[in-house]
Amino acid sequence: MRILLVEDHPVLGRDIKQGLERYHYAVDLVIDGTDAVLLGETTPYDLIILDILLPGLDGWEVCRRLRAAHRAMPILFLTARGEVDDRIRGLDLGADDYLVKPFDFRELEARVRALLRRDSSTRTSTLQFLDLTLDTRTQEARRGTRVIALSSKEYALLHFLMSRPREILSRTTIAEHVWDYDAEHLSNVIDVYIGYLRQKLCANGEPEVIHTKRGAGYQLKEPEQ
Amino acid sequence: MKRLSQKLWPPGIRLQMVCWYTAVFTLVLLLAGAAFYHYVENALENSVDTSLQIQAHQIAAEIVAGHDTLTIHDATGALSGLSGSQPVDGPFTVQQDTFVRLLDAQGQVVRETPDSRILQIPSQSITQALQGQPWQGTINTITGQEVQFYSQAFTVQGKPLLVLQVGQSLETLHALLHQLVVLLLMVGALALLVCAISSFLLTRRTFTPVQHLMQTAQRIKAGDLRQRVPVPAAQDEIRALAVSLNDMLDALDQTMTRQRRFVADASHELRTPVAVIRNKTSIVLLQPQKRQEYITVLHEVNTEAERLGKLISDLLALARGDEGHAPFERESVRLDVLVEATAASLQPLAEERAVQLTVHAEQPVTLMGDEARLIQVVMNLLENALRYTNAGGQVSLTVQLGPDQVQVVVQDTGIGIAPEHLPHLFGRFYQVDPARNSTERGSHGLGLSIVAWIVQAHGGTIAVTSQPGQGSCFTVTLPLIPLAPTNESR
């Protein structure tokens, strides 16, 4: 899951990015409102975390412009402005959530998780596909009862596949959601990571659930008979 | 006038140095002059006091006191107007500017030089002298002139007999001191002028080499990066400046040359797929085609667009690497698993080209590095080997574990590379055969430079050996950094 973090505080921005990366999110950090609009319009982020006081455009204007450009990803305002009027203004501009600084990082992460599962059919913290379960709270993956140990990128990849079950996902789409800006060009290594995942998911001879669609990409689907 | 003031303000370093030199020198001169003046003034005043005392004693020696009579022998000639024949209260004259007064024990004037009447004499000078303490000090005449004054009582058998007062005008001394000040100021001003001019000339002499450097730099600014500034022979700061300027120019020149070539190569490579797309679409648009024709062309356009996209991604990756903006992960990587999986993902390409792809990686190998980028290294090397090996050939990938390093060897039985190309193989956009259209093999000349860049970033090396017609062998050597236990299992 790929997140755009717009925060101009040099230490806080870096810390949030590192914290979220520990939860296997791909995070792009920008410090400027203009850059935020540019990236938000061109990259299919799964979530945007937005400060209000920013150089360039302020957070409200960034939110307004993205919504005007029909970008529908969830937007979370993260700001020191905690007045009720400010919150109402932010939510009315099209934001989905509002978190006031200072905040507990665990709460931020929980809200990120909540916003990310908003579009999925299941509204719990656990994603499920057939006998495959992924607990986004404990970051534990299971096939049946068997616990699967995953590396950070494998987890991110599986999380994305399970959030879009049965959709055919091109390598580019996968790269855009699993890798951050610095690694996006590595889309050609996705085949190898899919290989890793398959090996782990089928280690006990379970049937294949990640299918290759030649020339199109990959699909999480019921095993073929 | 305005232009002159603009030229002088803010002051340049030369003007600043001249001002500083002159200011410091002025201060030194003022202090020295003041000290000198003070010393001379003191010495002259002391000499006046001494001469007054001597004079007083001499006069006293010439006065012989009887009962109620004073006999004056004018031995010194200083008291020509004070001879004994004259009445006691008669006028007497002494040397110009010298005052003499004789008073009796009651403080009544016995005799005095005529000028003495213009003196404002404090009564203390008489009372203190009568008490046995000589008095001396500076007093004023009624016209405001300063007079140094000395007053002493002479006693006979312990009884004060008379008081002798001697004074000398300080006019001459003041005139002398005044002349001294004028002289000092004139000499000082001259010295300052010489100092200012010489410091101006000296700074010009100092800055000549800098100006030289500047002129060369100006010429270089005009666009010729191959020019170098002259390096002076003396081992001084100017030489260091010139050397570092030249080093900077070297680096700039190299960067610019590389950049120019890179941009030229990149635009050439970018133009090729675009030309192919335009060519195909123009032809198909000439006249109405069957549906199948359109589909074929669209597929071809799609392939070219994909190539274009990959090229742009690679360009971006290298650009970020050059800027140093490409963060590398440091995670534990199971290299044996990595090469197996990478080779497996390329198996379809191998089958398509009818090349046998084999992997020898039996031993588990763990190292610290960026997994995704290491996959890219193995993938690029394997893709290259598969592309340049004709049908029926073989590509083998071997992982050899050493004591503190690991080697990944990709060996093919392909067309090989001529020896003259080997040194340039990892350069950007280097094409082994310029006549061959790179599209034919599906590569664009950036893959190996990306491989070299990633390997170097991991502290490793890459080497290549090749026999034209027999095949090539790429060897990547990576250091095994001692591994701390992690939670990630692979």
Side-chain angles (χ1 to χ4, degrees):
Chain A
M1 292 299 163
R2 185 147 166 205
I3 296 172
L4 176 63
L5 172 61
V6 192
E7 168 63 69
D8 66 328
H9 190 285
V11 178
L12 186 64
R14 208 187 52 214
D15 286 355
I16 296 177
K17 176 175 156 76
Q18 283 174 356
L20 288 172
E21 278 171 350
R22 211 165 295 140
Y23 285 90
H24 313 311
Y25 296 109
V27 183
D28 292 333
L29 172 62
V30 295
I31 54 171
D32 178 82
T34 320
D35 292 348
V37 172
L38 193 71
L39 273 178
E41 282 180 349
T42 53
T43 314
Y45 287 103
D46 298 294
L47 174 75
I48 297 181
I49 301 175
L50 202 51
D51 191 4
I52 287 181
L53 289 177
L54 292 169
L57 304 172
D58 66 28
W60 282 317
E61 183 60 19
V62 172
C63 181
R64 201 188 59 72
R65 289 196 187 187
L66 288 176
R67 292 308 189 216
H70 302 290
R71 307 297 288 173
M73 67 281 273
I75 293 180
L76 165 65
F77 270 122
L78 184 66
T79 171
R81 301 183 68 140
E83 305 297 317
V84 174
D85 286 345
D86 289 331
R87 298 181 197 219
I88 292 171
R89 183 174 174 196
L91 294 172
D92 281 347
L93 278 170
D96 298 87
D97 203 352
Y98 204 100
L99 187 57
V100 177
K101 295 177 194 168
F103 59 91
D104 190 318
F105 181 76
R106 289 170 304 163
E107 185 183 358
L108 174 67
E109 196 273 324
R111 288 191 189 223
V112 165
R113 255 186 294 130
L115 287 170
L116 286 177
R117 68 174 174 253
R118 226 182 31 164
D119 289 339
S120 74
S121 50
T122 53
R123 294 293 181 90
T124 61
S125 60
T126 306
L127 293 170
Q128 181 135 26
F129 184 81
L130 302 180
D131 58 344
L132 196 59
T133 51
L134 189 72
D135 190 332
T136 57
R137 201 167 42 84
T138 59
Q139 297 166 37
E140 194 178 60
R142 285 172 189 270
R143 184 101 200 232
T145 53
R146 181 170 63 92
V147 176
I148 307 167
L150 295 175
S151 75
S152 184
K153 290 205 182 69
E154 290 160 2
Y155 176 90
L157 188 56
L158 184 61
H159 188 187
F160 182 64
L161 290 175
M162 288 185 73
S163 67
R164 309 273 178 96
R166 296 181 193 86
E167 255 180 70
I168 296 176
L169 303 165
S170 72
R171 284 183 189 81
T172 315
T173 308
I174 295 174
E176 279 173 345
H177 287 272
V178 175
W179 265 260
D180 62 22
Y181 184 74
D182 288 320
E184 208 185 282
H185 64 277
L186 296 172
S187 62
N188 59 338
V189 306
I190 280 176
D191 296 344
V192 179
Y193 279 104
I194 292 279
Y196 285 160
L197 252 189
R198 277 180 177 152
Q199 219 168 26
K200 288 192 176 178
L201 294 183
C202 308
N204 281 7
E206 292 100 332
E208 192 70 78
V209 284
I210 303 173
H211 300 269
T212 310
K213 296 282 153 189
R214 256 196 91 93
Y218 295 99
Q219 185 184 23
L220 189 68
K221 207 178 71 159
E222 284 77 8
E224 281 158 8
Q225 297 306 315
Chain B
M1 192 64 204
K2 200 179 169 192
R3 280 177 61 187
L4 184 70
S5 70
Q6 272 176 355
K7 204 177 165 187
L8 290 179
W9 196 264
I13 188 155
R14 276 182 66 189
L15 190 58
Q16 279 187 42
M17 285 177 78
V18 170
C19 290
W20 274 111
Y21 282 144
T22 315
V24 169
F25 202 62
T26 309
L27 192 70
V28 170
L29 274 183
L30 278 178
L31 286 176
F36 182 63
Y37 178 85
H38 193 69
Y39 171 77
V40 170
E41 190 184 25
N42 258 344
L44 286 177
E45 281 180 358
N46 283 342
S47 77
V48 170
D49 283 341
T50 313
S51 86
L52 282 177
Q53 277 178 37
I54 292 169
Q55 222 175 343
H57 283 281
Q58 280 176 350
I59 292 170
E62 288 164 11
I63 297 171
V64 179
H67 289 289
D68 296 333
T69 57
L70 286 170
T71 314
I72 296 167
H73 306 282
D74 189 7
T76 56
L79 300 171
S80 54
L82 234 78
S83 63
S85 59
Q86 285 175 347
V88 170
D89 56 350
F92 64 99
T93 57
V94 290
Q95 276 172 283
Q96 185 72 33
D97 292 340
T98 306
F99 308 91
V100 180
R101 292 177 91 210
L102 276 174
L103 299 96
D104 60 20
Q106 282 71 44
Q108 297 301 312
V109 176
V110 179
R111 278 198 175 184
E112 63 180 348
T113 48
D115 306 357
S116 303
R117 294 182 221 284
I118 60 172
L119 293 174
Q120 295 171 325
I121 300 163
S123 57
Q124 203 196 355
S125 65
I126 301 164
T127 50
Q128 190 181 322
L130 283 173
Q131 282 159 13
Q133 281 284 320
W135 184 93
Q136 69 179 39
T138 308
I139 62 172
N140 286 324
T141 63
I142 49 173
T143 53
Q145 290 176 347
E146 283 188 327
V147 172
Q148 195 70 16
F149 209 66
Y150 182 78
S151 175
Q152 192 180 5
F154 290 92
T155 55
V156 175
Q157 294 153 357
K159 258 179 66 187
L161 181 68
L162 58 90
V163 175
L164 181 61
Q165 294 188 321
V166 193
Q168 188 177 340
S169 168
L170 292 173
E171 280 304 293
T172 330
L173 188 140
H174 284 161
L176 193 67
L177 284 174
H178 185 73
Q179 280 173 11
L180 181 71
V181 168
V182 170
L183 190 70
L184 278 179
L185 284 178
M186 276 165 54
V187 170
L190 193 68
L192 283 181
L193 191 69
V194 170
C195 166
I197 291 171
S198 59
S199 63
F200 186 75
L201 295 176
L202 272 176
T203 50
R204 186 163 75 184
R205 171 94 188 76
T206 314
F207 283 108
T208 308
V210 176
Q211 235 149 19
H212 229 77
L213 287 183
M214 201 176 63
Q215 280 159 5
T216 318
Q218 292 259 323
R219 275 204 304 278
I220 292 165
K221 204 171 75 182
D224 190 359
L225 276 175
R226 272 164 305 182
Q227 288 223 28
R228 292 295 175 267
V229 297
V231 176
Q235 299 279 345
D236 56 10
E237 287 82 359
I238 301 296
R239 186 191 159 92
L241 180 65
V243 167
S244 38
L245 258 182
N246 278 345
D247 287 351
M248 193 186 75
L249 285 171
D250 278 341
L252 266 181
D253 190 16
Q254 280 177 17
T255 314
M256 287 295 283
T257 310
R258 224 173 23 227
Q259 207 66 26
R260 256 197 298 270
R261 211 181 58 220
F262 187 67
V263 169
D265 291 345
S267 48
H268 172 78
E269 288 291 326
L270 288 168
R271 205 181 289 145
T272 312
V274 173
V276 171
I277 290 172
R278 283 195 60 184
N279 191 36
K280 283 184 195 304
T281 49
S282 310
I283 290 170
V284 87
L285 284 172
L286 279 179
Q287 51 197 24
Q289 309 276 337
K290 290 198 191 81
R291 181 185 148 82
Q292 193 52 46
E293 301 272 326
Y294 286 123
I295 291 175
T296 313
V297 170
L298 280 178
H299 269 298
E300 286 166 356
V301 168
N302 194 32
T303 311
E304 285 303 319
E306 205 171 297
R307 262 178 50 74
L308 206 50
K310 182 167 162 38
L311 176 60
I312 293 169
S313 295
D314 286 350
L315 279 174
L316 194 60
L318 277 176
R320 284 200 203 137
D322 287 350
E323 281 174 33
H325 283 330
F328 273 53
E329 302 271 339
R330 245 181 94 80
E331 52 200 340
S332 92
V333 179
R334 273 288 294 277
L335 197 64
D336 53 324
V337 180
L338 185 149
V339 297
E340 289 275 8
T342 309
S345 79
L346 285 174
Q347 206 61 50
L349 179 64
E351 280 162 22
E352 192 183 296
R353 295 194 55 82
V355 174
Q356 198 190 349
L357 173 59
T358 51
V359 179
H360 307 282
E362 288 79 21
Q363 265 180 296
V365 180
T366 311
L367 57 80
M368 296 297 287
D370 187 312
E371 188 177 48
R373 289 202 166 89
L374 288 175
I375 292 174
Q376 210 177 14
V377 166
V378 177
M379 189 172 269
N380 279 356
L381 289 178
L382 282 180
E383 272 178 353
N384 251 357
L386 290 171
R387 279 200 189 99
Y388 291 99
T389 302
N390 294 321
Q394 287 178 354
V395 172
S396 79
L397 188 153
T398 316
V399 177
Q400 290 164 350
L401 182 61
D404 55 358
Q405 60 184 34
V406 62
Q407 286 193 328
V408 179
V409 185
V410 176
Q411 173 101 47
D412 65 47
T413 60
I415 56 172
I417 307 156
E420 68 263 28
H421 296 306
L422 290 180
H424 312 289
L425 209 54
F426 301 105
R428 287 168 191 187
F429 292 117
Y430 188 76
Q431 293 290 347
V432 169
D433 185 355
R436 177 188 288 140
N437 181 357
S438 60
T439 321
E440 189 187 316
R441 298 276 178 181
S443 79
H444 54 60
L446 276 181
L448 282 178
S449 38
I450 288 182
V451 165
W453 165 59
I454 295 173
V455 169
Q456 275 157 19
H458 279 82
T461 53
I462 183 163
V464 57
T465 55
S466 188
Q467 286 282 322
Q470 307 210 343
S472 313
C473 178
F474 287 85
T475 307
V476 170
T477 310
L478 292 168
L480 284 177
I481 293 137
L483 169 66
T486 62
N487 300 332
E488 285 175 24
S489 69
R490 165 74 31 91

